[in-house]
Amino acid sequence: MPSSPRHRQRTALPVLLAPVLLAALLAGTALAPAAAWAQAGAQAGAAADARRPAEVAQVLFGIISYVRWPVARPEVRVCMLGTPRYGAAIVDTPASSLGQRIRVKIPAATAAAGECDVVYLGSLPEGEREHLLAQVIGKPILSVAEPGTSCTVGTMFCLRLSEAQIGFDVNLDAIARSGLRVHPNALQIARRKGPPP
């Protein structure tokens, strides 16, 4: 006896749904490892971001350890100017491990030339940055620009970030005009911390 159209519709529906359900199940299984991979990548990125301030501080103090002033400093005064993103880690980094006494301070920008041996430049309006650099260019004051900030002509060291590393660019002309002596090993820090060519 031939089946009624109504009966055929009932049996055909599960047959049509089976491939759809199977495809959904396979898609869910394929997406699970991709989601886990994305989550692991996000966690690794967050861990790198958490380490970044300490790494920036390490590179900054590494640069300072390779600099000699025309007159020896019993204490190197590091002035943070503008709005530094990594300032807390710089303040918290112990200076005793460098064999050099370092004091970190936050002066008024107008006092930088008289109170600082190092100026660490955070985010600053361009006009203020140029005015500040005009005060320190040609003086024995080391200038270092924080990663992600504008690196203008008079800055001696410009820190830069890649995905996993910290490096820096060096302005040899600005260093020569300052009277500071920078040991060639400072360039080895750049090679070690910088991204591969």
Coordinates of all heavy atoms in Angstrom, one line a residue, residues 18 20 72 77 82 116 118 134 164 179 182:
A18 N 19.4 15.1 9.7 CA 20.6 14.3 10.1 C 21.9 15.0 9.6 O 22.8 15.3 10.4 CB 20.5 12.9 9.7
V20 N 22.3 18.1 8.7 CA 22.5 19.4 9.4 C 23.0 19.3 10.8 O 23.9 20.0 11.2 CB 21.1 20.1 9.4 CG1 21.2 21.4 10.1 CG2 20.6 20.4 7.9
A72 N 81.8 62.9 37.2 CA 81.2 61.7 37.8 C 80.0 62.2 38.7 O 80.1 63.1 39.5 CB 82.2 60.9 38.6
R77 N 70.3 61.3 38.7 CA 68.9 61.8 38.9 C 68.1 61.5 37.6 O 68.4 62.1 36.6 CB 68.9 63.2 39.3 CG 69.7 63.5 40.5 CD 70.0 65.0 40.7 NE 70.8 65.5 39.6 CZ 71.1 66.8 39.3 NH1 70.6 67.7 40.1 NH2 71.8 67.1 38.3
G82 N 56.2 64.4 31.5 CA 55.0 64.1 30.8 C 54.2 63.0 31.5 O 54.2 63.0 32.7
C116 N 68.2 67.4 36.5 CA 68.1 66.0 36.0 C 69.5 65.6 35.3 O 70.1 66.5 34.6 CB 67.0 65.9 34.9 SG 65.4 66.5 35.5
V118 N 69.1 62.5 33.7 CA 68.4 61.7 32.7 C 67.0 62.3 32.6 O 66.4 62.4 33.6 CB 68.4 60.2 33.0 CG1 67.6 59.4 32.0 CG2 69.8 59.7 33.2
A134 N 64.8 71.6 23.8 CA 65.6 72.8 23.6 C 66.4 73.1 24.8 O 67.6 73.6 24.7 CB 64.8 73.9 23.2
A164 N 57.3 41.0 20.9 CA 57.8 40.3 22.0 C 59.1 40.9 22.6 O 59.5 40.5 23.6 CB 58.2 38.8 21.6
G179 N 78.2 65.8 25.2 CA 79.4 65.6 26.0 C 79.4 64.3 26.8 O 80.3 64.0 27.5
V182 N 79.0 57.2 25.8 CA 78.2 56.0 25.8 C 79.1 54.8 25.4 O 79.6 54.9 24.3 CB 77.0 56.1 24.9 CG1 76.1 54.9 25.0 CG2 76.1 57.3 25.4

